[in-house]
Amino acid sequence: GDSVTQMEGPVTLSEEAFLTINCTYTATGYPSLFWYVQYPGEGLQLLLKATKADDKGSNKGFEATYRKETTSFHLEKGSVQVSDSAVYFCALPTDTGRRALTFGSGTRLQVQP
Amino acid sequence: EAGVAQSPRYKIIEKRQSVAFWCNPISGHATLYWYQQILGQGPKLLIQFQNNGVVDDSQLPKDRFSAERLKGVDSTLKIQPAKLEDSAVYLCASSLDLQGPSTDTQYFGPGTRLTVL
């Protein structure tokens, strides 16, 4: 079935450092791809999404490009802030077509001042 | 717009006891999901409703878990009897319409953290 694989965490960075969190996927066809973020004590929030190959999703300074050649959807940010500390999840719709999401295992980001 | 509401936020029970979680989705959202998130893992779907009908419950351990969505609005997830491995965060999410665009965003509640002792 469809699945996503994320890089292991935790990732610890200093403020203003460059961030990359890797995500690769296995899917039949070209599903939409999502990044969700979970701040401490809060529910999951959609961070960004891309609906087709070569699309770039962006929000709050974060970007991810849907690359079908490498089956990847890596999350990047040029300059992280302490407030970006959270757990980030890559996700895609399940292969049942019913739009429930299959999530990666999550990557914890800790940004130090 | 009010978000997805869940209660309680935290619950501690002994194994073999029963527990129930409640979810109120965003008004007008036809599709409701329950996910289980074990510590250190991503959420996994338990059950999906479209209005008051079940769309997918293939991952729901039906010998102990049950869920309903009466009147197509609020939903309740129940565990009876609970096991140690049920310790997790139970997340409720809703989206506008199953038949809508495939990018239909899911909105998540804050979750209920269950600890089974």
Side-chain angles (χ1 to χ4, degrees), chain A residues 32 36 49 51 98-99 101, chain B residues 35 48 55 98 103 106:
Chain A
S32 300
Y36 276 80
K49 62 186 180 187
T51 60
R98 291 171 173 160
R99 303 205 184 92
L101 295 172
Chain B
Y35 290 87
Q48 179 180 344
V55 173
L98 180 67
T103 56
Q106 291 185 30

Side-chain angles (χ1 to χ4, degrees), chain B residues 17-39:
Chain B
Q17 286 186 324
S18 63
V19 65
F21 313 127
W22 173 83
C23 172
N24 181 239
I26 292 172
S27 178
H29 279 196
T31 309
L32 186 147
Y33 311 80
W34 283 102
Y35 290 87
Q36 180 191 58
Q37 185 179 15
I38 293 172
L39 187 65

Side-chain angles (χ1 to χ4, degrees), chain A residues 30-86:
Chain A
Y30 302 104
S32 300
L33 299 173
F34 303 83
W35 277 101
Y36 276 80
V37 58
Q38 191 170 36
Y39 297 102
E42 299 184 18
L44 286 161
Q45 301 174 24
L46 178 66
L47 181 59
L48 54 83
K49 62 186 180 187
T51 60
K52 59 184 185 297
D54 299 324
D55 260 6
K56 178 183 284 188
S58 62
N59 186 26
K60 299 182 181 180
F62 290 89
E63 294 183 339
T65 301
Y66 189 159
R67 300 200 185 281
K68 67 177 182 180
E69 300 84 3
T70 54
T71 63
S72 66
F73 192 54
H74 303 326
L75 183 68
E76 297 181 335
K77 186 174 186 182
S79 176
V80 294
Q81 305 300 312
V82 172
S83 57
D84 294 326
S85 298

Side-chain angles (χ1 to χ4, degrees), chain B:
Chain B
E1 163 180 278
V4 177
Q6 289 188 249
S7 67
R9 291 294 308 276
Y10 304 92
K11 190 73 176 178
I12 300 174
I13 61 172
E14 301 278 336
K15 61 183 178 183
R16 291 187 290 273
Q17 286 186 324
S18 63
V19 65
F21 313 127
W22 173 83
C23 172
N24 181 239
I26 292 172
S27 178
H29 279 196
T31 309
L32 186 147
Y33 311 80
W34 283 102
Y35 290 87
Q36 180 191 58
Q37 185 179 15
I38 293 172
L39 187 65
Q41 300 181 17
K44 289 182 172 60
L45 181 72
L46 290 174
I47 189 167
Q48 179 180 344
F49 293 93
Q50 171 77 358
N51 296 310
N52 61 352
V54 175
V55 173
D56 184 356
D57 64 356
S58 58
Q59 301 303 308
L60 188 73
K62 299 182 186 63
D63 58 334
R64 298 183 300 105
F65 286 65
S66 64
E68 60 183 9
R69 191 183 183 197
L70 299 177
K71 301 180 182 178
V73 181
D74 293 5
S75 178
T76 303
L77 176 70
K78 296 179 181 178
I79 307 175
Q80 182 179 14
K83 293 185 175 181
L84 296 176
E85 59 261 36
D86 298 332
S87 293
V89 176
Y90 291 85
L91 295 167
C92 180
S94 69
S95 63
L96 201 55
D97 183 358
L98 180 67
Q99 302 303 322
S102 62
T103 56
D104 197 16
T105 299
Q106 291 185 30
Y107 296 86
F108 284 80
T112 297
R113 182 177 297 278
L114 174 67
T115 302
V116 182
L117 303 176

